[in-house]
Amino acid sequence: MIRFTPLDWFWAGAFLLLMVGGGFFFYRLARRSESDFFLAGRRLPWWLPASSVFSTHTATDTPMWVTGVIYAHGFRGLWYTFFSAWTAIGAFVSARIFRRSLAYSQAEWQIMRFGGLGAELLRGWMAGWQVFMNMFILGWVGMAMGKVGALVFGWPVWVGLVVPTLITAAYTLVAGYWGVVMGDFLQGIVAIFAILVVSLVGIAAVGGPGELAGSLVEMGEAWRMDPFAFTGLFGGDFPAAWFLTMLVIAVVGGFGMGTSIDWYPEAQRIQSAGSVRDASYGIWAGGAVTLIRNGFWAASILAFFVLAPGIADAADYELGWFRLGFELLPAGLVGVFFAAILAIHLSTISSHLNLGALYFTRDLFQRYIRPRADERTLVWVGRLATAVLLLGSFFYGMMMQEITQWLIFALWLMMAGIWLPNILQVVWWRFNAWGYLSAWMANLGVAWLVVWVLPAFGVFPPLPDYLQFWLLMGLGAVIFLPATLLTAPEDMDHLIRYYLQTRPLGWWGPVHREAVRRGLIQQDTACGVRGVGVAGSRPLIKRTWTAAEAEAWTREDWVAIILSPLVMACFMIGVASLLLLRPGGILLTLSAVVGTGVIYWVIDPKLRAVSAEYEERQARYLEELERAVRWEREGGGSHG
């Protein structure tokens, strides 16, 4: 147990009061409409979605998971966390496409991308799946808080699982997404402060960067400071084949939608942004800060390894970062540290409560039960769904003990079989609803067989993670590719409407040509369908764009797409190495800063042009949409 002084209790209490009080402050905004309750009215500047991305993915379980992989693998374990780098490419591809669709959720996006019965089945399936997944995620995040409460106060695990989550639910029920995103901004500031302080204090506790590095050398553990300390091409516990697989998952996954469990919360941030440009920068910045955070954590966890080597049980060493904070910080700062833990817990809990309620309200209740429900009803259904998610999360949380195991389960089992279909639905016009639906169904069955059932019966030995991924993806393709090609393509009228609204990247030639033939777009202003630049002579990097020119996918997009994952990798490894004064740390970090400036210089003029013209059209569309349903305009908003 950790002893709290009155000053520590003051800081923790003040933070809770600020969070709950802020929820009531945004009550009037959240109750105006479904758009306000779930998307903050689609008018947030990029830095608010960015802070929300970072805060949502800095949950109580996150330092446990990062501690687990770094304690076991050293700096090379950072590559486990690199799946967040899907935002590097996603910010300039899938975020741009999804934001232009104006879909509230990825379930709603299904009926825009696909048509007919298949699309409706997909929307209902994905909405139900996401309601379950958000309860599941809330459960493991809540269990992480339960373990922290047991460490700090000696509470039974259920107390830490239930009580902080109930506090979070108070302002989420009241303020909706407005409370989530504004709370995330404040929580992100507190979390960053705590991560910096505890990381530096942990390194100082072993005598500073030089002593930390020297101690690892003396212990025969110098390899832990090498992010590329592979154990061979295929052998050992960290082969190069695994590293290359993770790069493919993270980097190529940015071209698709839903290629990571992170994608679904990020989709809400994308649609809450005020423009395509804000959406792109919000997702990119949030992902970059998340990876930089991992670098800070990694350095401090190596310090914990020096202080407490040889811990065999993952459930014990996962608490390493929390132990650094509670055992090394002086009185007063312990309360700030606990407030930061509450911050990272509240931000994730509030996000998933609101997101799960969005899927239930918009994609199940409004779509299939009460299509003509007014805005007042939808907001109240959203609040009721939030409460149900809360109760469900307690059930799942009590099932979980080891955080790392459940996260790897979620990343591998639930995503491997649909990773490629989530890309194909974005980049290939011929991929249809039946192919995607068959991929989902096959993944659920095949994944259980490959990961657990067949190894348990001795059909083949348990496979390494990276082989599981490729096998699951290959077996899924055997099912969803024939299902796609043996069924009819989507209706061309439907595909053209989708293409004109979102202008997707990839193999959309037949749809593009039909849109040109119908006179809906001009050939010379839409020739970037395969990533080829606009026709005619032009500078190497074009800096002046019309809205029509900016619609095309050109070399400027590809410069940003190629540089972004390199920049994020340099940030992650560079910061971790810099904190230990390792050779190359300064160079990698400076390279990342310069690379960020280059990306901005190349892509910003184009994003501005895309946003200016598109947001004008969007404003007219949203005005017409909201006019029909806002109860204030029917006199309902004047009663409190």
PDB file of all heavy atoms in Angstrom, residues 10 15 53 57 70 83 112 289 324 367 378 438 440 472 481 496 563 602 607:
ATOM      1  N   PHE A  10      -5.670  16.017  -2.054  1.00  0.00           N
ATOM      2  CA  PHE A  10      -6.189  17.259  -2.631  1.00  0.00           C
ATOM      3  C   PHE A  10      -6.073  17.235  -4.148  1.00  0.00           C
ATOM      4  O   PHE A  10      -7.032  17.559  -4.858  1.00  0.00           O
ATOM      5  CB  PHE A  10      -5.423  18.463  -2.068  1.00  0.00           C
ATOM      6  CG  PHE A  10      -5.720  19.750  -2.806  1.00  0.00           C
ATOM      7  CD1 PHE A  10      -6.893  20.450  -2.578  1.00  0.00           C
ATOM      8  CD2 PHE A  10      -4.832  20.233  -3.765  1.00  0.00           C
ATOM      9  CE1 PHE A  10      -7.169  21.616  -3.276  1.00  0.00           C
ATOM     10  CE2 PHE A  10      -5.097  21.393  -4.463  1.00  0.00           C
ATOM     11  CZ  PHE A  10      -6.271  22.095  -4.213  1.00  0.00           C
ATOM     12  N   PHE A  15      -8.808  17.006  -9.318  1.00  0.00           N
ATOM     13  CA  PHE A  15      -8.909  16.545 -10.701  1.00  0.00           C
ATOM     14  C   PHE A  15     -10.275  15.922 -10.969  1.00  0.00           C
ATOM     15  O   PHE A  15     -10.917  16.198 -11.986  1.00  0.00           O
ATOM     16  CB  PHE A  15      -7.797  15.545 -11.010  1.00  0.00           C
ATOM     17  CG  PHE A  15      -7.882  14.985 -12.398  1.00  0.00           C
ATOM     18  CD1 PHE A  15      -7.451  15.723 -13.485  1.00  0.00           C
ATOM     19  CD2 PHE A  15      -8.425  13.737 -12.629  1.00  0.00           C
ATOM     20  CE1 PHE A  15      -7.555  15.222 -14.772  1.00  0.00           C
ATOM     21  CE2 PHE A  15      -8.535  13.224 -13.906  1.00  0.00           C
ATOM     22  CZ  PHE A  15      -8.095  13.972 -14.977  1.00  0.00           C
ATOM     23  N   VAL A  53      -7.164  11.442 -29.467  1.00  0.00           N
ATOM     24  CA  VAL A  53      -6.532  10.201 -29.925  1.00  0.00           C
ATOM     25  C   VAL A  53      -5.477   9.753 -28.919  1.00  0.00           C
ATOM     26  O   VAL A  53      -5.430   8.588 -28.503  1.00  0.00           O
ATOM     27  CB  VAL A  53      -5.898  10.395 -31.314  1.00  0.00           C
ATOM     28  CG1 VAL A  53      -4.975   9.223 -31.663  1.00  0.00           C
ATOM     29  CG2 VAL A  53      -6.985  10.536 -32.375  1.00  0.00           C
ATOM     30  N   HIS A  57      -5.908   6.434 -26.159  1.00  0.00           N
ATOM     31  CA  HIS A  57      -5.002   5.299 -26.266  1.00  0.00           C
ATOM     32  C   HIS A  57      -3.863   5.365 -25.261  1.00  0.00           C
ATOM     33  O   HIS A  57      -2.838   4.713 -25.419  1.00  0.00           O
ATOM     34  CB  HIS A  57      -4.495   5.181 -27.694  1.00  0.00           C
ATOM     35  CG  HIS A  57      -5.617   4.950 -28.655  1.00  0.00           C
ATOM     36  ND1 HIS A  57      -6.417   3.828 -28.604  1.00  0.00           N
ATOM     37  CD2 HIS A  57      -6.129   5.704 -29.661  1.00  0.00           C
ATOM     38  CE1 HIS A  57      -7.344   3.903 -29.531  1.00  0.00           C
ATOM     39  NE2 HIS A  57      -7.198   5.027 -30.185  1.00  0.00           N
ATOM     40  N   ILE A  70       8.357  -4.343 -22.984  1.00  0.00           N
ATOM     41  CA  ILE A  70       9.707  -3.788 -22.846  1.00  0.00           C
ATOM     42  C   ILE A  70      10.495  -4.565 -21.785  1.00  0.00           C
ATOM     43  O   ILE A  70      11.691  -4.845 -21.964  1.00  0.00           O
ATOM     44  CB  ILE A  70       9.661  -2.287 -22.493  1.00  0.00           C
ATOM     45  CG1 ILE A  70       8.924  -1.497 -23.584  1.00  0.00           C
ATOM     46  CG2 ILE A  70      11.071  -1.732 -22.317  1.00  0.00           C
ATOM     47  CD1 ILE A  70       9.550  -1.584 -24.952  1.00  0.00           C
ATOM     48  N   PHE A  83       1.977  -0.744 -33.965  1.00  0.00           N
ATOM     49  CA  PHE A  83       0.736  -0.854 -34.741  1.00  0.00           C
ATOM     50  C   PHE A  83       0.012   0.481 -34.813  1.00  0.00           C
ATOM     51  O   PHE A  83      -0.762   0.727 -35.732  1.00  0.00           O
ATOM     52  CB  PHE A  83      -0.173  -1.949 -34.157  1.00  0.00           C
ATOM     53  CG  PHE A  83      -0.791  -1.613 -32.832  1.00  0.00           C
ATOM     54  CD1 PHE A  83      -1.985  -0.934 -32.763  1.00  0.00           C
ATOM     55  CD2 PHE A  83      -0.182  -2.003 -31.647  1.00  0.00           C
ATOM     56  CE1 PHE A  83      -2.561  -0.624 -31.536  1.00  0.00           C
ATOM     57  CE2 PHE A  83      -0.749  -1.705 -30.419  1.00  0.00           C
ATOM     58  CZ  PHE A  83      -1.939  -1.012 -30.363  1.00  0.00           C
ATOM     59  N   MET A 112     -22.733   3.153 -47.382  1.00  0.00           N
ATOM     60  CA  MET A 112     -22.293   4.109 -48.392  1.00  0.00           C
ATOM     61  C   MET A 112     -21.357   3.430 -49.394  1.00  0.00           C
ATOM     62  O   MET A 112     -21.435   3.680 -50.595  1.00  0.00           O
ATOM     63  CB  MET A 112     -21.600   5.290 -47.726  1.00  0.00           C
ATOM     64  CG  MET A 112     -22.503   6.061 -46.791  1.00  0.00           C
ATOM     65  SD  MET A 112     -21.658   7.455 -46.016  1.00  0.00           S
ATOM     66  CE  MET A 112     -22.999   8.142 -45.043  1.00  0.00           C
ATOM     67  N   VAL A 289       2.300  11.487 -31.249  1.00  0.00           N
ATOM     68  CA  VAL A 289       2.515  11.703 -29.814  1.00  0.00           C
ATOM     69  C   VAL A 289       2.398  10.381 -29.056  1.00  0.00           C
ATOM     70  O   VAL A 289       3.136  10.144 -28.085  1.00  0.00           O
ATOM     71  CB  VAL A 289       1.509  12.742 -29.273  1.00  0.00           C
ATOM     72  CG1 VAL A 289       1.621  12.872 -27.753  1.00  0.00           C
ATOM     73  CG2 VAL A 289       1.745  14.092 -29.927  1.00  0.00           C
ATOM     74  N   LEU A 324       7.343   2.602 -10.199  1.00  0.00           N
ATOM     75  CA  LEU A 324       8.299   3.715 -10.263  1.00  0.00           C
ATOM     76  C   LEU A 324       7.667   4.995  -9.735  1.00  0.00           C
ATOM     77  O   LEU A 324       8.284   5.730  -8.954  1.00  0.00           O
ATOM     78  CB  LEU A 324       8.768   3.929 -11.703  1.00  0.00           C
ATOM     79  CG  LEU A 324       9.724   2.902 -12.305  1.00  0.00           C
ATOM     80  CD1 LEU A 324      10.021   3.261 -13.765  1.00  0.00           C
ATOM     81  CD2 LEU A 324      11.018   2.812 -11.511  1.00  0.00           C
ATOM     82  N   ARG A 367     -31.552   2.996 -37.099  1.00  0.00           N
ATOM     83  CA  ARG A 367     -31.622   2.404 -38.432  1.00  0.00           C
ATOM     84  C   ARG A 367     -32.711   1.348 -38.535  1.00  0.00           C
ATOM     85  O   ARG A 367     -33.435   1.291 -39.536  1.00  0.00           O
ATOM     86  CB  ARG A 367     -30.268   1.782 -38.783  1.00  0.00           C
ATOM     87  CG  ARG A 367     -30.203   1.170 -40.178  1.00  0.00           C
ATOM     88  CD  ARG A 367     -30.277   2.224 -41.252  1.00  0.00           C
ATOM     89  NE  ARG A 367     -30.136   1.660 -42.585  1.00  0.00           N
ATOM     90  CZ  ARG A 367     -30.137   2.380 -43.701  1.00  0.00           C
ATOM     91  NH1 ARG A 367     -30.273   3.691 -43.619  1.00  0.00           N
ATOM     92  NH2 ARG A 367     -29.998   1.815 -44.870  1.00  0.00           N
ATOM     93  N   LEU A 378     -33.206  10.243 -29.489  1.00  0.00           N
ATOM     94  CA  LEU A 378     -31.911   9.670 -29.818  1.00  0.00           C
ATOM     95  C   LEU A 378     -30.867   9.975 -28.741  1.00  0.00           C
ATOM     96  O   LEU A 378     -30.049   9.121 -28.397  1.00  0.00           O
ATOM     97  CB  LEU A 378     -31.431  10.197 -31.178  1.00  0.00           C
ATOM     98  CG  LEU A 378     -32.258   9.733 -32.381  1.00  0.00           C
ATOM     99  CD1 LEU A 378     -31.777  10.430 -33.651  1.00  0.00           C
ATOM    100  CD2 LEU A 378     -32.187   8.220 -32.538  1.00  0.00           C
ATOM    101  N   SER A 438     -18.366 -12.413 -45.753  1.00  0.00           N
ATOM    102  CA  SER A 438     -17.795 -13.760 -45.645  1.00  0.00           C
ATOM    103  C   SER A 438     -16.438 -13.719 -44.943  1.00  0.00           C
ATOM    104  O   SER A 438     -16.083 -14.662 -44.216  1.00  0.00           O
ATOM    105  CB  SER A 438     -17.654 -14.395 -47.036  1.00  0.00           C
ATOM    106  OG  SER A 438     -16.679 -13.709 -47.817  1.00  0.00           O
ATOM    107  N   TRP A 440     -15.577 -11.676 -42.516  1.00  0.00           N
ATOM    108  CA  TRP A 440     -15.854 -11.560 -41.087  1.00  0.00           C
ATOM    109  C   TRP A 440     -16.271 -12.907 -40.507  1.00  0.00           C
ATOM    110  O   TRP A 440     -15.777 -13.323 -39.450  1.00  0.00           O
ATOM    111  CB  TRP A 440     -16.976 -10.541 -40.854  1.00  0.00           C
ATOM    112  CG  TRP A 440     -16.491  -9.162 -40.574  1.00  0.00           C
ATOM    113  CD1 TRP A 440     -16.425  -8.119 -41.442  1.00  0.00           C
ATOM    114  CD2 TRP A 440     -16.005  -8.668 -39.323  1.00  0.00           C
ATOM    115  NE1 TRP A 440     -15.934  -6.998 -40.818  1.00  0.00           N
ATOM    116  CE2 TRP A 440     -15.661  -7.313 -39.519  1.00  0.00           C
ATOM    117  CE3 TRP A 440     -15.826  -9.244 -38.078  1.00  0.00           C
ATOM    118  CZ2 TRP A 440     -15.159  -6.524 -38.491  1.00  0.00           C
ATOM    119  CZ3 TRP A 440     -15.314  -8.460 -37.050  1.00  0.00           C
ATOM    120  CH2 TRP A 440     -14.990  -7.116 -37.269  1.00  0.00           C
ATOM    121  N   LEU A 472      -3.809 -16.920 -40.998  1.00  0.00           N
ATOM    122  CA  LEU A 472      -5.195 -16.462 -40.895  1.00  0.00           C
ATOM    123  C   LEU A 472      -5.579 -15.594 -42.087  1.00  0.00           C
ATOM    124  O   LEU A 472      -6.689 -15.708 -42.616  1.00  0.00           O
ATOM    125  CB  LEU A 472      -5.398 -15.682 -39.600  1.00  0.00           C
ATOM    126  CG  LEU A 472      -5.372 -16.502 -38.300  1.00  0.00           C
ATOM    127  CD1 LEU A 472      -5.376 -15.580 -37.088  1.00  0.00           C
ATOM    128  CD2 LEU A 472      -6.551 -17.462 -38.244  1.00  0.00           C
ATOM    129  N   LEU A 481     -12.214 -14.152 -51.376  1.00  0.00           N
ATOM    130  CA  LEU A 481     -11.994 -13.830 -52.789  1.00  0.00           C
ATOM    131  C   LEU A 481     -12.987 -14.562 -53.697  1.00  0.00           C
ATOM    132  O   LEU A 481     -13.611 -13.930 -54.567  1.00  0.00           O
ATOM    133  CB  LEU A 481     -10.551 -14.122 -53.184  1.00  0.00           C
ATOM    134  CG  LEU A 481      -9.508 -13.110 -52.707  1.00  0.00           C
ATOM    135  CD1 LEU A 481      -8.098 -13.545 -53.091  1.00  0.00           C
ATOM    136  CD2 LEU A 481      -9.808 -11.718 -53.263  1.00  0.00           C
ATOM    137  N   ILE A 496     -20.764   4.967 -58.129  1.00  0.00           N
ATOM    138  CA  ILE A 496     -20.446   6.304 -58.632  1.00  0.00           C
ATOM    139  C   ILE A 496     -20.760   7.359 -57.581  1.00  0.00           C
ATOM    140  O   ILE A 496     -19.980   8.290 -57.372  1.00  0.00           O
ATOM    141  CB  ILE A 496     -21.207   6.575 -59.952  1.00  0.00           C
ATOM    142  CG1 ILE A 496     -20.594   5.740 -61.081  1.00  0.00           C
ATOM    143  CG2 ILE A 496     -21.164   8.063 -60.295  1.00  0.00           C
ATOM    144  CD1 ILE A 496     -21.335   5.844 -62.386  1.00  0.00           C
ATOM    145  N   LEU A 563       6.932   9.146 -46.340  1.00  0.00           N
ATOM    146  CA  LEU A 563       7.727   9.729 -45.252  1.00  0.00           C
ATOM    147  C   LEU A 563       7.110   9.497 -43.875  1.00  0.00           C
ATOM    148  O   LEU A 563       7.835   9.353 -42.883  1.00  0.00           O
ATOM    149  CB  LEU A 563       7.906  11.235 -45.481  1.00  0.00           C
ATOM    150  CG  LEU A 563       8.942  11.686 -46.491  1.00  0.00           C
ATOM    151  CD1 LEU A 563       8.997  13.213 -46.533  1.00  0.00           C
ATOM    152  CD2 LEU A 563      10.321  11.137 -46.140  1.00  0.00           C
ATOM    153  N   VAL A 602       4.801  19.875 -47.970  1.00  0.00           N
ATOM    154  CA  VAL A 602       4.380  19.238 -49.221  1.00  0.00           C
ATOM    155  C   VAL A 602       2.857  19.106 -49.292  1.00  0.00           C
ATOM    156  O   VAL A 602       2.246  19.403 -50.317  1.00  0.00           O
ATOM    157  CB  VAL A 602       5.045  17.848 -49.357  1.00  0.00           C
ATOM    158  CG1 VAL A 602       4.400  17.054 -50.503  1.00  0.00           C
ATOM    159  CG2 VAL A 602       6.542  18.000 -49.608  1.00  0.00           C
ATOM    160  N   LEU A 607      -4.237  19.829 -48.886  1.00  0.00           N
ATOM    161  CA  LEU A 607      -5.308  19.594 -47.918  1.00  0.00           C
ATOM    162  C   LEU A 607      -6.180  20.825 -47.742  1.00  0.00           C
ATOM    163  O   LEU A 607      -7.393  20.719 -47.552  1.00  0.00           O
ATOM    164  CB  LEU A 607      -4.715  19.166 -46.577  1.00  0.00           C
ATOM    165  CG  LEU A 607      -4.107  17.764 -46.511  1.00  0.00           C
ATOM    166  CD1 LEU A 607      -3.528  17.509 -45.131  1.00  0.00           C
ATOM    167  CD2 LEU A 607      -5.145  16.700 -46.858  1.00  0.00           C
TER     168      LEU A 607
END
